[in-house]
Amino acid sequence: MSLKPARIKDQDFIAEVELYRDDAQNFHLWWLGQSGFLLLWKGKKVLIDPYLSDSLTRKYADSSKPHVRISERVIDPELLAGISIISSSHNHTDHLDGETLIPVLKNNPGLTFIIPEANRAFVCERAKITYEFPVGLSDGKSYSAGEFVFHGVASKHDEIQRDEEGNCKFLGYIICFGNWTIYHSGDTLWYDGLEEYLKPFQVDVALLPINGHDPKRGVAGNLTPQESAKLGKAIGARLVIPCHYDMFAFNTADPREFEEESRKIKQPYLILGQGGHFRSSSL
């Protein structure tokens, strides 16, 4: 099966990011596939939930749920330099991938690594880092990394799970910088109180999964295409960018369903291809 081509990749991707490094007016987002994004603002680069390897395809090749890749990889993690912050929403490999994290951490020794506090020991083992290195958050907690402020939001995947100290194992992050606010939900279902928690942050861009929750897949579920559009509307997001599709054949969705619902309810949206680029001047 031929892979869906990335819009841009590797050295061409790096060149495009560098083209906007000195843009003092806008922030920029690139979709890296699955739930991974690169955020650029005032020369600072933030990696969100990157999965940039074929580790899951190899791991599940001979299993009952093979992770057959659909789309090309956007960027070799070895090429990522100048990263200020990297975040992981939870322990599943497509959001916490050792083959992605280890080279990024090695090549960017001064970065800040933001994780759910509940997952600290697991993260440190997988990423091969010291126990003290990551910054741990839970829902209702926040951390300032330079001009970026990360607020933890509980995610339900399939349940809201906590450790013995009450720290949430699955998080989303509200990322505030300058006059902008981005919400990256991580993997989540819609649960009571989510929209009420998010509304006061006046989200500019919501990055939401659309692969849904089909128990036959044998994996934890997410928002459906229709739910992602409706959640964006419920929280007053100025724009919704869908993600968590077109990576693995067994666990994907048709973004046209999200587009149809967004148009129906008049929710502004943008569908990015692999390596797709958004700039805030489009808002």
Side-chain angles (χ1 to χ4, degrees), residues 4-60:
K4 294 183 179 181
R7 168 187 161 268
I8 194 170
K9 60 183 182 179
D10 292 330
Q11 293 293 352
D12 290 335
F13 174 83
I14 294 297
E16 182 172 274
V17 173
E18 289 303 303
L19 183 66
Y20 297 107
R21 184 177 61 179
D22 297 327
D23 184 354
Q25 302 300 317
N26 299 288
F27 73 85
H28 297 259
L29 277 170
W30 287 266
W31 186 36
L32 304 179
Q34 201 66 339
S35 291
F37 289 86
L38 176 66
L39 164 64
L40 174 70
W41 183 66
K42 294 173 65 174
K44 301 294 184 181
K45 302 171 190 172
V46 180
L47 269 179
I48 306 168
D49 273 19
Y51 174 75
L52 300 169
S53 81
D54 285 318
S55 61
L56 285 170
T57 300
R58 292 191 300 273
K59 178 179 178 180
Y60 289 104

Side-chain angles (χ1 to χ4, degrees), residues 136-229:
L137 290 182
S138 189
D139 55 320
K141 304 292 185 180
S142 62
Y143 181 80
S144 297
E147 296 183 75
F148 295 88
V149 182
F150 279 67
H151 302 270
V153 181
S155 291
K156 184 178 180 180
H157 189 51
D158 284 321
E159 300 295 335
I160 295 177
Q161 297 184 28
R162 299 183 183 276
D163 65 9
E164 294 179 353
E165 297 178 358
N167 295 309
C168 208
K169 295 182 178 182
F170 301 97
L171 287 181
Y173 297 110
I174 295 168
I175 308 171
C176 301
F177 51 98
N179 295 320
W180 304 106
T181 300
I182 291 173
Y183 170 52
H184 184 280
S185 70
D187 281 357
T188 194
L189 301 173
W190 194 334
Y191 59 87
D192 289 344
L194 178 59
E195 64 269 37
E196 286 78 9
Y197 186 85
L198 294 173
K199 278 181 184 178
F201 286 96
Q202 297 181 310
V203 172
D204 293 298
V205 179
L207 310 173
L208 303 178
I210 63 167
N211 60 303
H213 38 85
D214 184 352
K216 291 183 291 186
R217 295 174 181 168
V219 294
N222 269 324
L223 298 166
T224 66
Q226 295 78 12
E227 289 168 338
S228 288

Side-chain angles (χ1 to χ4, degrees), residues 104-119:
V104 172
L105 290 163
K106 178 182 177 182
N107 294 334
N108 299 272
L111 64 70
T112 299
F113 188 16
I114 297 175
I115 65 167
E117 175 60 33
N119 303 340

Side-chain angles (χ1 to χ4, degrees), residues 59-131:
K59 178 179 178 180
Y60 289 104
D62 299 319
S63 74
S64 60
K65 51 180 179 182
H67 285 48
V68 177
R69 178 182 274 273
I70 296 174
S71 300
E72 288 184 324
R73 183 179 68 173
V74 172
I75 178 72
D76 180 345
E78 292 279 1
L79 299 177
L80 290 169
I83 304 299
S84 298
I85 303 167
I86 188 168
S87 65
S88 169
S89 61
H90 63 283
N91 282 350
H92 293 160
T93 302
D94 55 334
H95 302 261
L96 182 78
D97 177 42
E99 292 185 21
T100 298
L101 293 170
I102 290 170
V104 172
L105 290 163
K106 178 182 177 182
N107 294 334
N108 299 272
L111 64 70
T112 299
F113 188 16
I114 297 175
I115 65 167
E117 175 60 33
N119 303 340
R120 179 176 294 273
F122 187 98
V123 169
C124 293
E125 171 61 27
R126 176 163 287 182
K128 307 304 179 188
I129 52 178
T130 63
Y131 191 80

